[in-house]
Amino acid sequence: MTVEALRQFRALVETGGFRAAAERVHRSQPAVSHQLKSLERELGHVLLDRKTCKPTPAGSRLYEHACRLLTDVESI
């Protein structure tokens, strides 16, 4: 898991869509989608409902942790 993967996941949750998240993090939509699949594989959980772009329970927990971590990282 990388800081970039967490940034992309946070953008997905906050924007509610792959295209908007990709624009926010300056990546292509397929790259954001691939990053999410990789993160889900690594963690062994589905993190986002693809139809609604809403986080699953596991995704909600990751989002909370990611926000705290990214706040700390971005303040350095």
Side-chain angles (χ1 to χ4, degrees):
M1 181 180 325
T2 65
V3 170
E4 183 59 27
L6 293 176
R7 280 189 179 116
Q8 290 183 31
F9 179 69
R10 178 180 65 182
L12 274 166
V13 172
E14 290 177 355
T15 64
F18 283 87
R19 181 176 295 174
E23 289 174 7
R24 181 187 282 190
V25 298
H26 308 289
R27 300 283 184 265
S28 68
Q29 182 275 325
V32 172
S33 180
H34 178 74
Q35 181 69 259
L36 176 63
K37 287 177 190 173
S38 294
L39 191 56
E40 288 177 329
R41 247 190 329 271
E42 182 179 349
L43 296 175
H45 292 280
V46 174
L47 300 172
L48 198 72
D49 181 307
R50 300 305 196 277
K51 291 181 183 181
T52 64
C53 261
K54 301 261 186 225
T56 63
S60 291
R61 287 191 302 277
L62 178 63
Y63 175 75
E64 291 172 14
H65 291 291
C67 286
R68 284 195 297 273
L69 177 69
L70 292 169
T71 297
D72 289 345
V73 166
E74 290 164 356
S75 71
I76 294 175

